[in-house]
Amino acid sequence: MVLPIVRYPEAVLRAKCRPITEVSEETRQLADNMLETMRAANGVGLAAPQVGVDQQLAVIDVSHNPECISYLRVNGEPADMVQHMPVVFLNPRLELGKAKETDEEGCLSFPSLRGDIRRSADIKVTFQTLEGQTITMETDGLLARAFQHEIDHLNGILFIDRMSAAAKVSLKRKLKRLMEEWEEE
Ligand code: NI
């Protein structure tokens, strides 16, 4: 089922999401619906608060572009990215590499807003799966960026918070205009 996507400035987008201690049938259903919702919106990631749920669950799929990363290690072993997509992850813990890179991002909670965001080029993320396994992924490129973006959502942090000072100056007016358009829809 495709769920309605929560738009900025709804309060749930600022929630500190709760860890999931037990995977229930409801959790699985939510994950399925989030995958369907992400695909219907042509997104590469979606976090639970974006569908109104303050739980540490998110989904990512960057398999449309196998060239968008230069490496992936799963539990320390080289792995094929496409085979590991989509990723459904719970209770993630993120370690950031020192090197940074800037790229353009969007967010399904901010239709038609895009901005350059500086993030770590490499990450290591440890998370739980719906099956109760603990998995570690190390990667770069779009997948590293997507993990950072979605995990920010689980902590109530939005990509506009990470825009440069210069971008924030024009952001206020742009956001005001966009929010009026969203209301008219
Ligand atoms: Ni987002």
Side-chain angles (χ1 to χ4, degrees), residues 31-141:
D32 272 355
N33 289 341
M34 284 173 58
L35 285 170
E36 213 179 313
T37 305
M38 172 181 71
R39 286 182 184 129
N42 288 315
V44 298
L46 186 70
Q50 294 183 278
V51 292
V53 179
D54 62 341
Q55 291 183 11
Q56 291 186 25
L57 168 67
V59 298
I60 289 175
D61 192 344
V62 295
S63 60
H64 66 286
N65 182 5
E67 309 295 310
C68 74
I69 61 165
S70 66
Y71 69 92
L72 171 67
R73 285 190 291 275
V74 176
N75 297 332
E77 299 291 328
D80 180 50
M81 182 267 276
V82 173
Q83 283 187 12
H84 283 85
M85 296 292 122
V87 202
V88 176
F89 59 102
L90 285 63
N91 310 327
R93 239 182 34 245
L94 189 59
E95 291 168 59
L96 300 174
K98 278 214 175 73
K100 305 272 186 188
E101 95 198 340
T102 300
D103 210 340
E104 199 186 55
E105 285 183 25
C107 177
L108 294 177
S109 294
F110 294 81
S112 70
L113 183 70
R114 304 200 54 90
D116 281 344
I117 312 288
R118 191 171 151 83
R119 295 195 187 268
S120 288
D122 303 270
I123 59 132
K124 180 176 181 176
V125 60
T126 304
F127 59 86
Q128 271 121 47
T129 66
L130 288 172
E131 291 74 36
Q133 291 172 299
T134 299
I135 288 190
T136 297
M137 285 188 176
E138 294 158 90
T139 192
D140 67 349

